Amino acid sequence: MPAMLSTLIIVIPVFALIFAGWLARRLAVLGSNATTELNRFVVYLALPALLFDIVAHARLSEIWQPGFIAVFALGCLAVFALTILVSLKRPLHLADAVIDGLNAGYANVGFIGFPLVAVAIGRNALGPTLVATMITVCVLFGAAIVLIEIGLQTERRPAGMSLGMLK
């Protein structure tokens, strides 16, 4: 089977599910709070349960891959930082530039990566997907939150800014 067709067969069910959710909301099958509640379910229950299951069944060698960790983290952060620098030349406020950076550097491995990797490569590839998700959530989002807070501070002295961010 040609590679393009096999890839298409893998992604069609994922995107069909996304389309079904969009259509259900568009046709008012789901109420106005459905999106919020489904997102809360995924973020607070389904995704953590999936991550726990992957960690519980993974071997350390599947998760601890320093080369992959370094390349993924550096790639994410490089795209994030470069986008911020380009955005600040427009000129944008730092907080807006950081949002642009997140849009560019955010790899949606948590929501779309797991099902695609599981179907395309198999369960043994979920370890690196877990690592990519954790880097995205912990490192990229953490850096973004700090930079947004810095951008929103009215205090310009480092000590005062640090105190303001801690509130």
Side-chain angles (χ1 to χ4, degrees):
M1 175 180 316
M4 181 66 110
L5 184 58
S6 62
T7 303
L8 188 61
I9 289 170
I10 290 167
V11 298
I12 283 177
V14 174
F15 287 105
L17 183 59
I18 292 169
F19 177 74
W22 174 83
L23 188 61
R25 177 63 187 115
R26 189 84 169 156
L27 297 174
V29 173
L30 299 174
S32 61
N33 292 331
T35 302
T36 302
E37 296 308 316
L38 286 171
N39 280 333
R40 288 173 50 143
F41 167 76
V42 169
V43 170
Y44 294 116
L45 185 64
L47 189 56
L50 174 65
L51 297 178
F52 182 80
D53 180 62
I54 292 168
V55 170
H57 294 97
R59 292 184 314 275
L60 183 59
S61 63
E62 293 172 356
I63 295 173
W64 182 245
Q65 297 180 24
F68 174 78
I69 293 168
V71 168
F72 187 85
L74 290 173
C76 257
L77 291 173
V79 170
F80 176 67
L82 182 62
T83 304
I84 291 172
L85 292 173
V86 169
S87 295
L88 288 173
K89 289 189 184 281
R90 283 194 281 187
L92 278 182
H93 187 276
L94 178 60
D96 294 326
V98 171
I99 296 298
D100 284 351
L102 269 178
N103 287 335
Y106 173 70
N108 195 353
V109 290
F111 298 114
I112 196 93
F114 284 111
L116 291 179
V117 166
V119 172
I121 302 172
R123 236 186 119 68
N124 61 338
L126 291 179
T129 309
L130 168 75
V131 170
T133 300
M134 299 313 291
I135 290 170
T136 301
V137 171
C138 297
V139 177
L140 189 65
F141 285 10
I145 290 168
V146 169
L147 290 172
I148 289 170
E149 282 296 323
I150 288 171
L152 296 176
Q153 292 297 313
T154 55
E155 175 67 51
R156 290 293 147 207
R157 292 175 299 139
M161 189 183 302
S162 297
L163 288 174
M165 288 173 49
L166 293 174
K167 289 183 183 179

